[in-house]
Amino acid sequence: MAKIALLTVVLMVIAGCATDELRTVRTHSTVEETLRCNSENEVKIRVFHSMYKDKKSAEHLYSKIMANPSEDNLAQLMAAARSDSMDMASRKSGGDLGYIQFGELDKEFEARLFNLPLKTLSNPVTSRWGWHLIWVSEAINVKTGKPCQWR
């Protein structure tokens, strides 16, 4: 009996005879998939980094990671952060700074963060604390807490 009911619903959806409730659910999921955060004030981004005292050290790590394209760049950055980063607070977590909202960090560092495309390793970036390689792994909408497209 349950199989017949399920088959009926599937056939109704295929034939376009689905109830308004089914159409609403289908439309709702499409909206969630394409949610876009348009400004820095709408988004929180999850950031990973590794920090060094000089540009040369950061450039060396950048070259090393980019020379090995078959490996996951984030995994390489996290491994380097655990072993070499000057940021002792995030070292143990592989450079994970958590979710950052615009206005929480050094302005120069933040400007690079919020302009970096998702899942892309940055070139060396300077801040008042040192030189960094950064990676933004995901973005979420501040109001809904749901993933959104960013950059």
Side-chain angles (χ1 to χ4, degrees):
M1 189 65 98
K3 289 180 183 179
I4 293 172
L6 178 60
L7 182 59
T8 302
V9 170
V10 170
L11 290 173
M12 288 174 66
V13 169
I14 291 170
C17 301
T19 65
D20 287 340
E21 184 177 318
L22 286 175
R23 285 191 187 122
T24 301
V25 170
R26 176 176 243 171
T27 303
H28 228 7
S29 67
T30 303
V31 171
E32 289 177 1
E33 289 173 13
T34 60
L35 181 64
R36 175 122 180 101
C37 292
N38 295 312
S39 78
E40 289 87 358
N41 297 325
E42 293 180 1
V43 69
K44 283 185 182 181
I45 54 176
R46 186 162 182 198
V47 178
F48 291 82
H49 83 130
S50 192
M51 182 172 68
Y52 301 90
K53 66 180 177 180
D54 56 47
K55 185 176 182 179
K56 185 177 179 180
S57 299
E59 286 175 337
H60 176 72
L61 177 58
Y62 179 81
S63 295
K64 182 179 173 184
I65 291 173
M66 297 310 286
N68 205 352
S70 64
E71 297 235 3
D72 179 0
N73 289 350
L74 176 57
Q76 291 180 77
L77 180 65
M78 290 176 71
R82 284 188 187 100
S83 63
D84 301 329
S85 181
M86 287 178 31
D87 182 0
M88 299 314 266
S90 70
R91 192 172 183 171
K92 191 174 185 179
S93 65
D96 188 354
L97 296 176
Y99 288 92
I100 306 295
Q101 199 166 349
F102 191 74
E104 293 180 344
L105 297 174
D106 177 86
K107 288 182 188 227
E108 191 171 347
F109 184 67
E110 197 171 74
R112 287 296 301 272
L113 279 178
F114 282 88
N115 284 300
L116 186 67
L118 290 176
K119 300 178 182 178
T120 304
L121 184 65
S122 74
N123 288 308
V125 176
T126 188
S127 75
R128 64 180 175 207
W129 301 288
W131 285 88
H132 312 259
L133 292 182
I134 54 179
W135 179 277
V136 178
S137 66
E138 62 184 313
I140 60 170
N141 184 280
V142 172
K143 290 180 184 171
T144 65
K146 295 185 179 189
C148 62
Q149 293 178 356
W150 179 250
R151 300 282 181 236

